[in-house]
Amino acid sequence: MGFKMASGVVVIPNSIRDKSSRIYLVNWYNNLLKTNFKDVQEMGSGACHCQIMDCVIPGSIDMSKVKLDAQGEDDCKHNFSLLHEAFSKNGVTKIIPIEELIQGEFRAHFELLKWFKRFYTTNDQNKKYDPVKARNSQEISPILVPHKLPKDAQQVFTQALNDSESAMSSERETFTESEPELTSDGTLSDSITAPPSAQTEDENGLNVEVKQCEVRLTKIHQNGRTPGENGVVWKGMAVRGGLGLESSLRQKPPTRTLFQAGGRTISSPKGVDKDSTSAPESQDEVSEETSPHKNTPRGRRKMAYQDGKGFPTGELVWGKVKGFSWWPGMVMPWKSKSWPLGMRRVEWFGDGMFSESYIESLLTFRNFNKCFCKNSFASLPIYKEAIYQIIELASERCEKSFVEAEGKKEKELKLMLAWASGGFLPSGPEGFSPPDAAAHQDSSDSATSDNQPPAKRKYVYKNKANAPVITYNKESIREMVKEKGRKIDDFCLSCGSLEIEVQHPLFEGGLCVKCKGNFTETLYRYDEDGYQSYCTVCCAGLEVILCGNASCCRCFCKDCLEILVGPGTFDELKDVDPWSCYMCKPSLCKGNLKLRPDWSVKVQEFFANNSAMAFEPHRVYPSISADQRQPIKVLSLFDGIATGYLVLKDLGFKIERYLASEICDDSITVGMIKHEGKIEYVNDVRTITRKHLAEWGPFDLLIGGSPCNDLSMVNPLRKGLFEGTGRLFFEFYRLLTLLKPKEGDDRPFFWLFENVVFMSANDKSDICRFLECNPILIDAVKVTPAHRARYFWGNLPGMNRPLATSLDDKVGLQDCLEGGRKAMFDKVRTITTKSNSIRQGKMGPLPVTMNGKEDYLWCTEMEQVFGFPKHYTDVNNMGRAQRQRVLGRSWSVPVIRHLFAPLKDYFECV
């Protein structure tokens, strides 16, 4: 959605939720507009909104008419009317809730400010806009926000309920602070507080200093039973691939349901009973003094750890849960009056689960560089979110902001990681220590963190601008499938939606549009342990059970097992060792989880390359069951520096034999030295005969990319496909024809051919005609700092799925440089065998500066640009020119890893 202007198209932001916190939002506006606001509501005059509009659409608002010092209702309405008029003239359809804004409602201010931030960041910002100059060097005055005392108990009661609902809604929808404010450890404030003290006059005309009063909210459990003193404790949680249940396993927190007001604690007038001892306060029910601008704890049931072993309540920690990498969490109060010595109750970031962990399995968050796992960060979205949440909380405690990220979460996360890995400077780890252990105590009813995720298994879709919000619940599948006329194929197995886009390729059921995209991207993502990163059914899940069969990399999450198979399934399977998954033994399927009989074909059709419609589709090979998979045998033509072997080993394949045809001595030396002689070299591809193939084979994978010198249009003397080195393509085609399985041979055989994109249309069509398929185009710039657009022809499963980045991929050039060197560009041109290709343009600058002078990329830096380990080509005293030549002819490692990953369904892995 957008509208035309002289300067281009201005985009109106969609309804995607902005997770900016209150503190971050204020800092963002201060940094952009050069103001000095302290809170969201101080920006309620409308002047800030007008200036953002003037910045995005220059001239849309006459800033001389904006009342920058607005305080009263009329002045604020004047500013918002200017804004509304600008919206109308420029076709912006955003509705401004003027009445709520004038009344000072926090929620209305908060949401509108977030919308304007998205409005600004979505469009091409006016970099030359000077906010101070635009308002003639005048300051935007903060609007005064009065704090009123409630007049009577009924008003306090009503306001408490309203604010409680608002706070819970805010937590679910925006992960931000709301009124009543979130506490420093994430619990919701149950009290509506007056100012810390107030002078008032009693009936006799005496001045009395009255301490604040509080209204407490008590949970009512839906089952009608009165909760015990310790609340409800959920058992359960299994380990990823673990056997049996331990006290350190994750536990689901109790859900918050209904609340009822009650006077559990009411403070006495300050100064009146000061010396009274007739009614001392209970240690379990101590009321805290709070400030309207200060995060406040619940102030009930303070069960501080007093065993002298450290890790107080509120401490940010790393915890070792069996089957996972070190996971970030926060120490929470114990759920009863006593607890086992040497144990702590930990809430895990990312999923909000709880564990009872021994202190020996905990480390403080200061050990970031030791515990942070790059592979989990790259492959587990929930781990990535957990890291974001804990660093966000740590930065708030340290009063550290990342306003330079301009609201872009990926950029903000990158800055957060740099801050954490650099030692949390300037405050250091001491800055995020819990300021007061008591400030992190919660009630025995429930505990939530300020980083609590939204309700699991629920998704919200907005098909049209004014369409109602529809919430789908995966748990509803169990009951709704029993309804007349319903069957499992009517439901999305990932989220429970009824809006099915495609059928699930593995199990009976469907996938909605959103879940189809997620399934496409993540089905072939693997962790460092070789197992799938996500559940085989839903491509999500927090707790998973791994298949125990050798070479099977499948895993199934607790949600899918409990909902689709039956309640209690997850706990039953924890004790089965080894457990064979539903893919290995379809007979184990029961309930609503039913494996498709033709799943091994359907999954390949799911990833079929639809661009190849001019040719007969490739033969589809069904996936092989784990117990029948064999090691892979590979023939690599024009092998270069053994990129194929490097990637296969990195993915965990068991390689029976890897034969490589290569004539460059330098490339052969790299392969032999770096892979310890495990590659068999067979010299010139033109010398390979049918007899050789019969002796060496049969092969499972044929890969290669013939020289591009005579194909690339960059070469003015190119000879084309049928002359010079161009005709070496036909050597690949010849061997491919000899290696293809004969009719009736069901043995899976895969192949991949690569070449440049910038070739003539005739050459491309000729290659397509011989290989009988269209290519896919992949540019490595998405996963590396350098452009490297290449065509790939082949029959690998899922070749056309989206190319996804991971944390280990060095996407920016600065990430690849050695210390003391500065990248002048984030992305560079394609690096070829020519040294001049390092320049950014024929006579352009070099991409790096050092000591104020331009410099070429060093060899180790070029290696990392391509995705190779440092010093990968540092063999046999090769010089810079030699190393660039072998690198310039190689493949991009992250791209080949992306293409090879689906083969794990066919061949044995270690």
Side-chain angles (χ1 to χ4, degrees):
M1 180 178 181
F3 49 88
K4 287 282 185 181
M5 295 193 59
S7 58
V9 177
V10 176
V11 181
I12 301 176
N14 56 27
S15 58
I16 296 175
R17 296 177 302 179
D18 189 314
K19 299 181 180 179
S20 299
S21 70
R22 179 189 217 160
I23 296 173
Y24 174 84
L25 202 61
V26 173
N27 289 334
W28 186 86
Y29 272 90
N30 285 337
N31 183 66
L32 178 66
L33 301 179
K34 310 304 180 189
T35 53
N36 190 30
F37 295 110
K38 305 298 183 185
D39 199 4
V40 167
Q41 288 164 294
E42 292 184 356
M43 294 183 272
S45 68
C48 294
H49 312 76
C50 289
Q51 187 148 33
I52 294 288
M53 188 69 182
D54 183 56
C55 177
V56 175
I57 311 176
S60 60
I61 289 183
D62 185 353
M63 288 301 296
S64 64
K65 295 182 180 180
V66 177
K67 297 187 177 181
L68 302 176
D69 57 351
Q71 293 294 333
E73 180 176 334
D74 293 337
D75 290 344
C76 294
K77 281 187 176 180
H78 168 79
N79 289 342
F80 283 117
S81 65
L82 293 176
L83 186 63
H84 179 73
E85 182 179 353
F87 277 8
S88 301
K89 287 181 179 179
N90 294 284
V92 181
T93 57
K94 175 66 177 176
I95 298 175
I96 305 174
I98 296 179
E99 292 302 323
E100 289 86 345
L101 295 170
I102 296 300
Q103 294 172 8
E105 290 190 9
F106 171 83
R107 185 76 177 172
H109 283 290
F110 195 41
E111 293 301 325
L112 186 60
L113 288 171
K114 288 197 295 181
W115 185 90
F116 266 97
K117 183 173 78 71
R118 295 200 306 273
F119 181 55
Y120 176 84
T121 55
T122 302
N123 295 280
D124 293 328
Q125 299 88 27
N126 186 355
K127 303 296 185 182
K128 298 181 180 179
Y129 185 83
D130 186 344
V132 178
K133 183 178 180 181
R135 58 178 186 257
N136 294 323
S137 301
Q138 298 182 53
E139 294 293 332
I140 301 179
S141 301
I143 192 169
L144 300 178
V145 183
H147 299 281
K148 300 178 181 179
L149 283 170
K151 295 182 179 179
D152 54 62
Q154 180 60 37
Q155 288 182 342
V156 174
F157 171 75
T158 304
Q159 184 67 25
L161 291 182
N162 291 339
D163 284 351
S164 177
E165 292 173 2
S166 172
M168 288 186 292
S169 173
S170 172
E171 181 191 27
R172 288 192 300 267
E173 296 177 3
T174 64
F175 291 89
T176 59
E177 298 170 74
S178 174
E179 288 191 350
E181 294 183 353
L182 293 176
T183 65
S184 56
D185 70 337
T187 56
L188 287 167
S189 173
D190 283 351
S191 61
I192 302 301
T193 65
S197 63
Q199 293 290 336
T200 185
E201 191 173 284
D202 68 4
E203 296 178 355
N204 299 322
L206 298 176
N207 288 327
V208 182
E209 188 178 4
V210 182
K211 195 177 178 181
Q212 63 190 20
C213 68
E214 299 179 351
V215 174
R216 296 295 178 182
L217 304 176
T218 307
K219 178 191 285 186
I220 301 177
H221 291 263
Q222 289 177 326
N223 58 14
R225 294 176 296 177
T226 302
E229 184 177 54
N230 300 333
V232 179
V233 179
W234 289 64
K235 300 297 182 184
M237 294 304 291
V239 183
R240 186 179 162 90
L243 309 174
L245 183 67
E246 298 181 1
S247 60
S248 64
L249 301 184
R250 303 181 177 191
Q251 302 169 356
K252 282 191 176 181
T255 56
R256 289 170 292 132
T257 52
L258 303 178
F259 291 84
Q260 173 180 317
R264 292 185 71 172
T265 60
I266 301 178
S267 302
S268 300
K270 186 177 179 181
V272 176
D273 299 355
K274 186 174 181 180
D275 301 323
S276 174
T277 58
S278 59
E281 292 181 318
S282 168
Q283 276 189 325
D284 294 340
E285 297 181 356
V286 179
S287 177
E288 297 286 342
E289 294 187 28
T290 61
S291 169
H293 297 289
K294 193 174 182 179
N295 290 341
T296 59
R298 288 176 178 253
R300 294 184 303 211
R301 198 171 300 283
K302 304 193 169 194
M303 302 305 301
Y305 297 101
Q306 298 176 353
D307 52 10
K309 299 187 182 228
F311 300 104
T313 303
E315 181 81 57
L316 302 182
V317 298
W318 295 96
K320 191 63 177 174
V321 181
K322 188 176 180 181
F324 289 89
S325 306
W326 286 93
W327 201 279
M330 181 165 64
V331 178
M332 302 298 289
W334 204 261
K335 299 292 286 185
S336 60
K337 291 185 177 180
S338 60
W339 64 92
L341 292 179
M343 292 193 73
R344 297 291 184 269
R345 182 168 176 265
V346 180
E347 180 184 10
W348 305 109
F349 287 94
D351 57 10
M353 299 296 182
F354 291 86
S355 294
E356 297 172 1
S357 304
Y358 287 100
I359 58 174
E360 288 78 11
S361 64
L362 299 178
L363 290 174
T364 58
F365 189 57
R366 68 173 61 230
N367 295 279
F368 184 85
N369 292 325
K370 175 182 178 180
C371 300
F372 176 71
C373 179
K374 290 184 178 180
N375 289 329
S376 294
F377 187 90
S379 58
L380 280 176
I382 192 66
Y383 181 85
K384 187 174 184 179
E385 183 64 23
I387 295 297
Y388 176 82
Q389 292 172 1
I390 192 171
I391 299 180
E392 184 181 46
L393 178 57
S395 65
E396 288 184 4
R397 290 185 180 180
C398 296
E399 298 183 354
K400 168 73 174 177
S401 63
F402 304 95
V403 292
E404 55 268 37
E406 299 179 344
K408 298 175 182 177
K409 185 171 180 179
E410 288 300 321
K411 186 175 181 181
E412 182 182 15
L413 189 53
K414 189 174 181 179
L415 294 171
M416 285 179 167
L417 291 174
W419 177 64
S421 59
F424 308 97
L425 300 176
S427 65
E430 293 75 18
F432 56 75
S433 298
D436 181 6
H440 300 277
Q441 308 302 322
D442 70 0
S443 70
S444 61
D445 296 329
S446 66
T448 60
S449 100
D450 55 355
N451 298 288
Q452 187 81 354
K456 300 183 186 69
R457 302 182 295 278
K458 291 184 180 179
Y459 298 82
V460 177
Y461 298 91
K462 295 183 180 179
N463 298 324
K464 299 179 181 179
N466 298 321
V469 177
I470 303 174
T471 302
Y472 298 111
N473 190 337
K474 185 175 176 180
E475 294 178 340
S476 65
I477 296 178
R478 188 186 299 128
E479 297 301 324
M480 292 181 65
V481 76
K482 298 176 183 177
E483 297 178 4
K484 187 176 181 180
R486 298 279 193 195
K487 55 184 185 297
I488 192 63
D489 284 332
D490 297 332
F491 298 89
C492 173
L493 295 185
S494 291
C495 69
S497 168
L498 294 172
E499 299 176 5
I500 301 303
E501 172 73 9
V502 296
Q503 292 300 306
H504 197 290
L506 303 178
F507 296 91
E508 293 183 14
L511 291 170
C512 65
V513 174
K514 181 177 180 180
C515 295
K516 175 192 173 185
N518 181 54
F519 191 91
T520 302
E521 286 194 17
T522 58
L523 181 63
Y524 291 118
R525 293 288 295 274
Y526 298 95
D527 284 340
E528 59 183 349
D529 58 5
Y531 281 91
Q532 282 182 307
S533 300
Y534 309 97
C535 171
T536 300
V537 180
C538 64
C539 277
L542 305 180
E543 313 158 67
V544 294
I545 288 185
L546 307 180
C547 179
N549 281 355
S551 287
C552 181
C553 54
R554 306 288 184 185
C555 60
F556 292 78
C557 72
K558 181 176 182 179
D559 289 344
C560 287
L561 294 175
E562 296 289 314
I563 295 169
L564 298 177
V565 180
T569 302
F570 192 76
D571 289 333
E572 292 175 6
L573 297 180
K574 288 187 303 186
D575 299 325
V576 179
D577 183 25
W579 173 67
S580 296
C581 72
Y582 301 103
M583 306 286 289
C584 296
K585 290 189 176 180
S587 59
L588 297 177
C589 292
K590 58 182 179 179
N592 292 317
L593 187 66
K594 301 172 184 177
L595 186 69
R596 294 187 184 277
D598 57 347
W599 68 268
S600 58
V601 176
K602 289 289 185 184
V603 72
Q604 305 311 323
E605 293 176 349
F606 184 84
F607 290 103
N609 186 353
N610 294 325
S611 67
M613 298 308 293
F615 303 95
E616 287 291 325
H618 290 301
R619 180 178 178 181
V620 175
Y621 294 102
S623 300
I624 297 176
S625 59
D627 55 349
Q628 296 179 4
R629 294 173 190 165
Q630 301 294 325
I632 191 170
K633 295 179 69 173
V634 183
L635 176 60
S636 175
L637 309 179
F638 322 104
D639 184 65
I641 52 177
T643 310
Y645 187 89
L646 175 72
V647 171
L648 289 171
K649 294 298 290 184
D650 185 44
L651 284 170
F653 284 92
K654 189 172 183 179
I655 302 175
E656 180 178 341
R657 198 172 189 185
Y658 189 99
L659 275 78
S661 172
E662 180 56 57
I663 60 173
C664 173
D665 290 335
D666 289 336
S667 296
I668 293 173
T669 302
V670 172
M672 291 181 64
I673 298 300
K674 292 301 176 180
H675 300 293
E676 302 172 345
K678 295 178 181 177
I679 299 176
E680 303 176 50
Y681 285 95
V682 295
N683 296 321
D684 197 327
V685 64
R686 291 169 290 189
T687 63
I688 300 176
T689 64
R690 183 190 298 269
K691 181 180 179 181
H692 289 137
L693 297 180
E695 293 175 356
W696 299 336
F699 290 100
D700 304 303
L701 177 64
L702 173 68
I703 58 176
S706 60
C708 62
N709 306 49
D710 285 318
L711 294 177
S712 175
M713 296 182 70
V714 175
N715 180 11
L717 303 177
R718 63 187 179 279
K719 299 177 180 180
L721 186 65
F722 297 93
E723 296 294 336
T725 60
R727 60 187 177 187
L728 288 174
F729 157 74
F730 294 101
E731 296 298 326
F732 181 92
Y733 172 71
R734 175 179 67 89
L735 296 179
L736 173 62
T737 304
L738 293 175
L739 289 175
K740 280 185 176 179
K742 301 297 184 288
E743 193 70 28
D745 186 354
D746 295 331
R747 175 181 57 87
F749 173 76
F750 300 102
W751 60 273
L752 179 72
F753 178 75
E754 172 266 352
N755 220 297
V756 293
V757 169
F758 199 43
M759 67 173 68
S760 71
N762 290 334
D763 287 341
K764 177 188 174 185
S765 63
D766 286 335
I767 293 176
C768 293
R769 183 162 52 87
F770 280 96
L771 297 180
E772 298 181 343
C773 68
N774 285 320
I776 61 168
L777 189 157
I778 300 180
D779 191 345
V781 72
K782 186 174 181 180
V783 290
T784 70
H787 289 272
R788 198 170 187 81
R790 292 293 185 266
Y791 279 137
F792 291 91
W793 290 262
N795 70 339
L796 302 183
M799 284 182 64
N800 63 327
R801 72 190 193 279
L803 181 63
T805 59
S806 67
L807 183 67
D808 287 335
D809 296 334
K810 299 182 184 299
V811 180
L813 180 61
Q814 187 64 50
D815 299 331
C816 301
L817 301 185
E818 302 290 348
R821 292 164 59 79
K822 182 179 179 181
M824 302 304 295
F825 304 89
D826 191 47
K827 303 288 185 180
V828 296
R829 300 169 62 218
T830 302
I831 298 176
T832 68
T833 58
K834 307 295 183 182
S835 61
N836 199 48
S837 65
I838 302 296
R839 289 191 176 275
Q840 302 310 292
K842 189 172 183 180
M843 301 297 293
L846 294 172
V848 180
T849 60
M850 184 176 182
N851 296 327
K853 298 180 180 180
E854 290 185 358
D855 195 7
Y856 285 87
L857 287 171
W858 292 352
C859 294
T860 54
E861 295 168 343
M862 281 192 290
E863 288 166 343
Q864 295 199 80
V865 166
F866 279 86
F868 291 101
K870 276 187 179 182
H871 304 291
Y872 185 77
T873 59
D874 187 9
V875 298
N876 200 28
N877 295 322
M878 285 169 53
R880 172 193 165 77
Q882 292 173 285
R883 293 173 71 175
Q884 181 171 345
R885 274 199 296 271
V886 297
L887 285 169
R889 291 193 290 259
S890 70
W891 285 341
S892 174
V893 172
V895 172
I896 302 304
R897 178 183 175 90
H898 165 80
L899 293 170
F900 283 1
L903 297 179
K904 290 173 75 76
D905 279 350
Y906 297 88
F907 302 105
E908 185 177 358
C909 297
V910 293

